[in-house]
Amino acid sequence: PPNLDWAFVDRLKKSTKMKLVLKGLETREDAKLALDHGVDGILVSNHGGRSTDTLRPTIEALPEVVDAVRGRIPVFVDGGVRRGTDAFKALALGATAVGIGRPMLWGMGAFGQAGVDRVLEILQGELKLAMGNCGTRTVADIDRSYVELPDWRTVRYS
């Protein structure tokens, strides 16, 4: 909606004592503006690709947002996490945490609560395996040295 601008963020921030986390930021410029406007966290998201169809995925937007924020506020990522290795890559690129909504919905749709529990077990197991293969004992040990970043300026999207 057109009324959701930075002035709206300022009004929202002033109207509550709760933490304000903005979802849908994908650029360093927006991350810097979020800091300027006192946002407490950023959720890097392309809304399942539905809002920004054919543009870059969240895993590619994440590094520039993390670099812009420089640890001053948490940066979460939402979208594209289907396996434990996806979570590992997002954490390596600086995400504070990752959202796993779609796999949870698949599990719930197929088997209810048991399906959700199983999805969590699978993702945790895959993450632990990736961590073990990379020699990281804790999540805090995961860093960018475990992923190679392409020059995004040369990537072409169709």
Side-chain angles (χ1 to χ4, degrees):
N3 66 330
L4 296 182
D5 57 13
W6 291 106
F8 176 84
V9 171
D10 292 337
R11 288 191 307 275
L12 187 58
K13 183 75 178 156
K14 289 177 186 172
S15 70
T16 184
K17 292 181 181 178
M18 294 187 298
K19 300 284 185 184
L20 179 60
V21 177
L22 289 186
K23 179 178 180 178
L25 303 185
E26 299 181 59
T27 66
R28 75 177 41 82
E29 294 81 9
D30 279 341
K32 289 176 182 176
L33 283 167
L35 287 170
D36 293 344
H37 289 270
V39 169
D40 300 296
I42 294 173
L43 182 56
V44 177
S45 174
N46 64 4
H47 308 289
R50 292 179 301 276
S51 296
T52 54
D53 204 19
T54 74
L55 297 179
R56 66 184 177 165
T58 55
I59 197 73
E60 293 178 15
L62 178 62
E64 78 175 66
V65 172
V66 167
D67 288 345
V69 168
R70 287 185 266 142
R72 290 174 281 187
I73 58 175
V75 176
F76 308 100
V77 67
D78 173 45
V81 176
R82 304 292 183 262
R83 303 186 63 97
T85 51
D86 297 329
F88 185 93
K89 291 171 200 173
L91 293 167
L93 293 173
T96 306
V98 298
I100 52 170
R102 197 164 290 172
M104 303 299 281
L105 291 174
W106 293 336
M108 182 175 63
F111 301 105
Q113 183 62 49
V116 171
D117 293 343
R118 184 64 182 132
V119 166
L120 286 173
E121 289 171 9
I122 291 169
L123 289 172
Q124 288 172 340
E126 290 173 347
L127 177 58
K128 287 178 184 178
L129 181 61
M131 290 174 65
N133 286 338
C134 292
T136 54
R137 293 178 19 158
T138 68
V139 170
D141 294 334
I142 303 171
D143 62 36
R144 282 199 189 176
S145 67
Y146 295 101
V147 293
E148 184 174 338
L149 295 175
D151 181 354
W152 301 117
R153 295 167 295 188
T154 63
V155 176
R156 301 285 182 246
Y157 300 97
S158 56

